[in-house]
PDB file of all heavy atoms in Angstrom:
ATOM      1  N   SER A 180     -21.510   0.589 -32.934  1.00 91.00           N
ATOM      2  CA  SER A 180     -22.925   0.304 -33.090  1.00 91.00           C
ATOM      3  C   SER A 180     -23.551  -0.004 -31.805  1.00 91.00           C
ATOM      4  O   SER A 180     -24.615   0.469 -31.335  1.00 91.00           O
ATOM      5  CB  SER A 180     -23.134  -0.824 -34.148  1.00 91.00           C
ATOM      6  OG  SER A 180     -22.722  -0.495 -35.368  1.00 91.00           O
ATOM      7  N   LEU A 181     -22.857  -0.977 -30.918  1.00 92.00           N
ATOM      8  CA  LEU A 181     -23.483  -1.365 -29.690  1.00 92.00           C
ATOM      9  C   LEU A 181     -23.501  -0.140 -28.751  1.00 92.00           C
ATOM     10  O   LEU A 181     -24.535  -0.011 -28.108  1.00 92.00           O
ATOM     11  CB  LEU A 181     -22.732  -2.414 -29.169  1.00 92.00           C
ATOM     12  CG  LEU A 181     -22.668  -3.778 -29.852  1.00 92.00           C
ATOM     13  CD1 LEU A 181     -21.763  -4.723 -29.227  1.00 92.00           C
ATOM     14  CD2 LEU A 181     -24.107  -4.367 -29.855  1.00 92.00           C
ATOM     15  N   ASP A 183     -23.588   3.182 -29.279  1.00 91.00           N
ATOM     16  CA  ASP A 183     -24.477   4.249 -29.587  1.00 91.00           C
ATOM     17  C   ASP A 183     -25.925   3.764 -29.700  1.00 91.00           C
ATOM     18  O   ASP A 183     -26.808   4.669 -29.451  1.00 91.00           O
ATOM     19  CB  ASP A 183     -23.966   4.854 -31.009  1.00 91.00           C
ATOM     20  CG  ASP A 183     -22.697   5.588 -30.997  1.00 91.00           C
ATOM     21  OD1 ASP A 183     -22.262   5.878 -29.756  1.00 91.00           O
ATOM     22  OD2 ASP A 183     -22.042   5.657 -31.967  1.00 91.00           O
ATOM     23  N   ARG A 184     -26.227   2.658 -30.098  1.00 91.00           N
ATOM     24  CA  ARG A 184     -27.587   2.219 -30.253  1.00 91.00           C
ATOM     25  C   ARG A 184     -28.182   1.315 -29.193  1.00 91.00           C
ATOM     26  O   ARG A 184     -29.394   1.287 -29.142  1.00 91.00           O
ATOM     27  CB  ARG A 184     -27.650   1.496 -31.642  1.00 91.00           C
ATOM     28  CG  ARG A 184     -27.273   2.298 -32.755  1.00 91.00           C
ATOM     29  CD  ARG A 184     -27.047   1.509 -34.117  1.00 91.00           C
ATOM     30  NE  ARG A 184     -27.976   0.570 -34.309  1.00 91.00           N
ATOM     31  CZ  ARG A 184     -27.975  -0.270 -35.342  1.00 91.00           C
ATOM     32  NH1 ARG A 184     -26.872  -0.434 -36.057  1.00 91.00           N
ATOM     33  NH2 ARG A 184     -29.006  -1.140 -35.577  1.00 91.00           N
ATOM     34  N   ALA A 185     -27.331   0.635 -28.410  1.00 91.00           N
ATOM     35  CA  ALA A 185     -27.864  -0.274 -27.473  1.00 91.00           C
ATOM     36  C   ALA A 185     -27.533   0.045 -25.933  1.00 91.00           C
ATOM     37  O   ALA A 185     -28.359   0.095 -25.142  1.00 91.00           O
ATOM     38  CB  ALA A 185     -27.436  -1.759 -27.799  1.00 91.00           C
ATOM     39  N   LEU A 186     -26.293   0.197 -25.788  1.00 93.00           N
ATOM     40  CA  LEU A 186     -25.785   0.249 -24.185  1.00 93.00           C
ATOM     41  C   LEU A 186     -26.048   1.662 -23.737  1.00 93.00           C
ATOM     42  O   LEU A 186     -26.691   1.882 -22.698  1.00 93.00           O
ATOM     43  CB  LEU A 186     -24.344  -0.181 -24.211  1.00 93.00           C
ATOM     44  CG  LEU A 186     -23.987  -1.492 -24.866  1.00 93.00           C
ATOM     45  CD1 LEU A 186     -22.645  -1.813 -24.581  1.00 93.00           C
ATOM     46  CD2 LEU A 186     -24.869  -2.603 -24.215  1.00 93.00           C
ATOM     47  N   HIS A 189     -29.746   3.050 -23.064  1.00 90.00           N
ATOM     48  CA  HIS A 189     -30.400   2.277 -22.064  1.00 90.00           C
ATOM     49  C   HIS A 189     -29.792   2.346 -20.648  1.00 90.00           C
ATOM     50  O   HIS A 189     -30.160   1.550 -19.829  1.00 90.00           O
ATOM     51  CB  HIS A 189     -30.689   0.858 -22.491  1.00 90.00           C
ATOM     52  CG  HIS A 189     -31.567   0.662 -23.696  1.00 90.00           C
ATOM     53  ND1 HIS A 189     -31.101   0.642 -24.849  1.00 90.00           N
ATOM     54  CD2 HIS A 189     -32.897   0.493 -23.756  1.00 90.00           C
ATOM     55  CE1 HIS A 189     -32.037   0.567 -25.771  1.00 90.00           C
ATOM     56  NE2 HIS A 189     -33.241   0.375 -25.164  1.00 90.00           N
ATOM     57  N   LYS A 280     -34.013  -7.084 -22.679  1.00 92.00           N
ATOM     58  CA  LYS A 280     -34.715  -7.583 -23.875  1.00 92.00           C
ATOM     59  C   LYS A 280     -34.606  -6.490 -25.045  1.00 92.00           C
ATOM     60  O   LYS A 280     -34.382  -6.876 -26.253  1.00 92.00           O
ATOM     61  CB  LYS A 280     -36.204  -7.914 -23.690  1.00 92.00           C
ATOM     62  CG  LYS A 280     -36.361  -8.998 -22.690  1.00 92.00           C
ATOM     63  CD  LYS A 280     -37.804  -9.322 -22.429  1.00 92.00           C
ATOM     64  CE  LYS A 280     -38.026 -10.527 -21.514  1.00 92.00           C
ATOM     65  NZ  LYS A 280     -39.458 -10.652 -21.253  1.00 92.00           N
ATOM     66  N   LYS A 281     -34.683  -5.259 -24.615  1.00 91.00           N
ATOM     67  CA  LYS A 281     -34.562  -4.247 -25.619  1.00 91.00           C
ATOM     68  C   LYS A 281     -33.202  -4.162 -26.359  1.00 91.00           C
ATOM     69  O   LYS A 281     -32.989  -3.900 -27.401  1.00 91.00           O
ATOM     70  CB  LYS A 281     -34.985  -2.795 -25.114  1.00 91.00           C
ATOM     71  CG  LYS A 281     -36.552  -2.758 -24.717  1.00 91.00           C
ATOM     72  CD  LYS A 281     -36.831  -1.396 -24.107  1.00 91.00           C
ATOM     73  CE  LYS A 281     -38.235  -1.452 -23.642  1.00 91.00           C
ATOM     74  NZ  LYS A 281     -38.749  -0.012 -23.047  1.00 91.00           N
ATOM     75  N   ILE A 282     -32.194  -4.248 -25.293  1.00 92.00           N
ATOM     76  CA  ILE A 282     -30.817  -4.179 -25.764  1.00 92.00           C
ATOM     77  C   ILE A 282     -30.553  -5.482 -26.738  1.00 92.00           C
ATOM     78  O   ILE A 282     -29.824  -5.231 -27.734  1.00 92.00           O
ATOM     79  CB  ILE A 282     -29.884  -4.246 -24.567  1.00 92.00           C
ATOM     80  CG1 ILE A 282     -29.987  -3.014 -23.691  1.00 92.00           C
ATOM     81  CG2 ILE A 282     -28.437  -4.498 -24.960  1.00 92.00           C
ATOM     82  CD1 ILE A 282     -29.252  -3.003 -22.536  1.00 92.00           C
ATOM     83  N   LEU A 283     -31.113  -6.568 -26.450  1.00 92.00           N
ATOM     84  CA  LEU A 283     -30.864  -7.704 -27.240  1.00 92.00           C
ATOM     85  C   LEU A 283     -31.483  -7.620 -28.623  1.00 92.00           C
ATOM     86  O   LEU A 283     -30.945  -8.134 -29.581  1.00 92.00           O
ATOM     87  CB  LEU A 283     -31.395  -9.046 -26.590  1.00 92.00           C
ATOM     88  CG  LEU A 283     -30.605  -9.499 -25.339  1.00 92.00           C
ATOM     89  CD1 LEU A 283     -31.319 -10.605 -24.744  1.00 92.00           C
ATOM     90  CD2 LEU A 283     -29.222  -9.957 -25.727  1.00 92.00           C
ATOM     91  N   GLU A 284     -32.578  -6.848 -28.681  1.00 92.00           N
ATOM     92  CA  GLU A 284     -33.175  -6.647 -30.042  1.00 92.00           C
ATOM     93  C   GLU A 284     -32.302  -5.811 -30.865  1.00 92.00           C
ATOM     94  O   GLU A 284     -32.123  -6.024 -32.074  1.00 92.00           O
ATOM     95  CB  GLU A 284     -34.540  -5.915 -29.849  1.00 92.00           C
ATOM     96  CG  GLU A 284     -35.569  -6.722 -29.177  1.00 92.00           C
ATOM     97  CD  GLU A 284     -36.887  -5.959 -28.946  1.00 92.00           C
ATOM     98  OE1 GLU A 284     -36.869  -4.724 -29.139  1.00 92.00           O
ATOM     99  OE2 GLU A 284     -37.984  -6.612 -28.492  1.00 92.00           O
ATOM    100  N   VAL A 285     -31.621  -4.660 -30.283  1.00 92.00           N
ATOM    101  CA  VAL A 285     -30.707  -3.969 -30.987  1.00 92.00           C
ATOM    102  C   VAL A 285     -29.483  -4.754 -31.350  1.00 92.00           C
ATOM    103  O   VAL A 285     -28.932  -4.676 -32.462  1.00 92.00           O
ATOM    104  CB  VAL A 285     -30.286  -2.694 -30.218  1.00 92.00           C
ATOM    105  CG1 VAL A 285     -29.260  -1.821 -30.975  1.00 92.00           C
ATOM    106  CG2 VAL A 285     -31.532  -1.833 -29.837  1.00 92.00           C
ATOM    107  N   VAL A 286     -29.094  -5.647 -30.444  1.00 93.00           N
ATOM    108  CA  VAL A 286     -27.826  -6.470 -30.681  1.00 93.00           C
ATOM    109  C   VAL A 286     -28.161  -7.418 -31.911  1.00 93.00           C
ATOM    110  O   VAL A 286     -27.336  -7.656 -32.740  1.00 93.00           O
ATOM    111  CB  VAL A 286     -27.520  -7.255 -29.496  1.00 93.00           C
ATOM    112  CG1 VAL A 286     -26.415  -8.206 -29.774  1.00 93.00           C
ATOM    113  CG2 VAL A 286     -27.012  -6.350 -28.306  1.00 93.00           C
ATOM    114  N   ASN A 287     -29.317  -7.947 -32.018  1.00 92.00           N
ATOM    115  CA  ASN A 287     -29.778  -8.803 -33.185  1.00 92.00           C
ATOM    116  C   ASN A 287     -29.627  -7.955 -34.265  1.00 92.00           C
ATOM    117  O   ASN A 287     -29.195  -8.544 -35.413  1.00 92.00           O
ATOM    118  CB  ASN A 287     -31.054  -9.403 -32.806  1.00 92.00           C
ATOM    119  CG  ASN A 287     -31.139 -10.412 -31.727  1.00 92.00           C
ATOM    120  OD1 ASN A 287     -30.123 -10.994 -31.430  1.00 92.00           O
ATOM    121  ND2 ASN A 287     -32.202 -10.560 -31.126  1.00 92.00           N
ATOM    122  N   GLN A 288     -30.008  -6.730 -34.408  1.00 91.00           N
ATOM    123  CA  GLN A 288     -29.919  -5.811 -35.603  1.00 91.00           C
ATOM    124  C   GLN A 288     -28.592  -5.744 -36.023  1.00 91.00           C
ATOM    125  O   GLN A 288     -28.242  -5.817 -37.263  1.00 91.00           O
ATOM    126  CB  GLN A 288     -30.662  -4.489 -35.313  1.00 91.00           C
ATOM    127  CG  GLN A 288     -32.139  -4.661 -35.109  1.00 91.00           C
ATOM    128  CD  GLN A 288     -32.784  -3.300 -34.875  1.00 91.00           C
ATOM    129  OE1 GLN A 288     -32.109  -2.302 -34.830  1.00 91.00           O
ATOM    130  NE2 GLN A 288     -34.062  -3.311 -34.440  1.00 91.00           N
ATOM    131  N   VAL A 289     -27.661  -5.454 -35.054  1.00 91.00           N
ATOM    132  CA  VAL A 289     -26.248  -5.232 -35.410  1.00 91.00           C
ATOM    133  C   VAL A 289     -25.658  -6.511 -35.947  1.00 91.00           C
ATOM    134  O   VAL A 289     -24.852  -6.489 -36.915  1.00 91.00           O
ATOM    135  CB  VAL A 289     -25.510  -4.844 -34.066  1.00 91.00           C
ATOM    136  CG1 VAL A 289     -23.942  -4.817 -34.284  1.00 91.00           C
ATOM    137  CG2 VAL A 289     -25.906  -3.507 -33.577  1.00 91.00           C
ATOM    138  N   GLN A 290     -25.968  -7.630 -35.354  1.00 90.00           N
ATOM    139  CA  GLN A 290     -25.511  -8.986 -35.873  1.00 90.00           C
ATOM    140  C   GLN A 290     -26.067  -9.241 -37.304  1.00 90.00           C
ATOM    141  O   GLN A 290     -25.242  -9.616 -38.214  1.00 90.00           O
ATOM    142  CB  GLN A 290     -25.964 -10.092 -34.994  1.00 90.00           C
ATOM    143  CG  GLN A 290     -25.322  -9.988 -33.600  1.00 90.00           C
ATOM    144  CD  GLN A 290     -25.837 -11.215 -32.626  1.00 90.00           C
ATOM    145  OE1 GLN A 290     -26.921 -11.656 -33.057  1.00 90.00           O
ATOM    146  NE2 GLN A 290     -25.193 -11.414 -31.563  1.00 90.00           N
ATOM    147  N   ASP A 291     -27.258  -8.882 -37.577  1.00 89.00           N
ATOM    148  CA  ASP A 291     -27.811  -9.080 -39.059  1.00 89.00           C
ATOM    149  C   ASP A 291     -27.063  -8.097 -39.979  1.00 89.00           C
ATOM    150  O   ASP A 291     -26.826  -8.562 -41.140  1.00 89.00           O
ATOM    151  CB  ASP A 291     -29.341  -8.717 -38.987  1.00 89.00           C
ATOM    152  CG  ASP A 291     -30.205  -9.742 -38.202  1.00 89.00           C
ATOM    153  OD1 ASP A 291     -29.615 -10.988 -38.063  1.00 89.00           O
ATOM    154  OD2 ASP A 291     -31.248  -9.558 -37.781  1.00 89.00           O
ATOM    155  N   GLU A 292     -26.783  -6.894 -39.467  1.00 89.00           N
ATOM    156  CA  GLU A 292     -26.072  -6.012 -40.384  1.00 89.00           C
ATOM    157  C   GLU A 292     -24.630  -6.560 -40.596  1.00 89.00           C
ATOM    158  O   GLU A 292     -24.191  -6.436 -41.837  1.00 89.00           O
ATOM    159  CB  GLU A 292     -25.902  -4.614 -39.689  1.00 89.00           C
ATOM    160  CG  GLU A 292     -27.337  -3.939 -39.577  1.00 89.00           C
ATOM    161  CD  GLU A 292     -27.241  -2.629 -38.755  1.00 89.00           C
ATOM    162  OE1 GLU A 292     -26.116  -2.393 -38.325  1.00 89.00           O
ATOM    163  OE2 GLU A 292     -28.236  -1.926 -38.649  1.00 89.00           O
TER     164      GLU A 292
END
Side-chain angles (χ1 to χ4, degrees):
S180 299
L181 292 176
D183 292 339
R184 297 163 53 185
L186 304 185
H189 293 89
K280 291 180 181 179
K281 295 179 180 179
I282 294 173
L283 289 176
E284 293 177 358
V285 179
V286 172
N287 292 333
Q288 296 176 5
V289 174
Q290 293 173 345
D291 293 338
E292 293 174 359

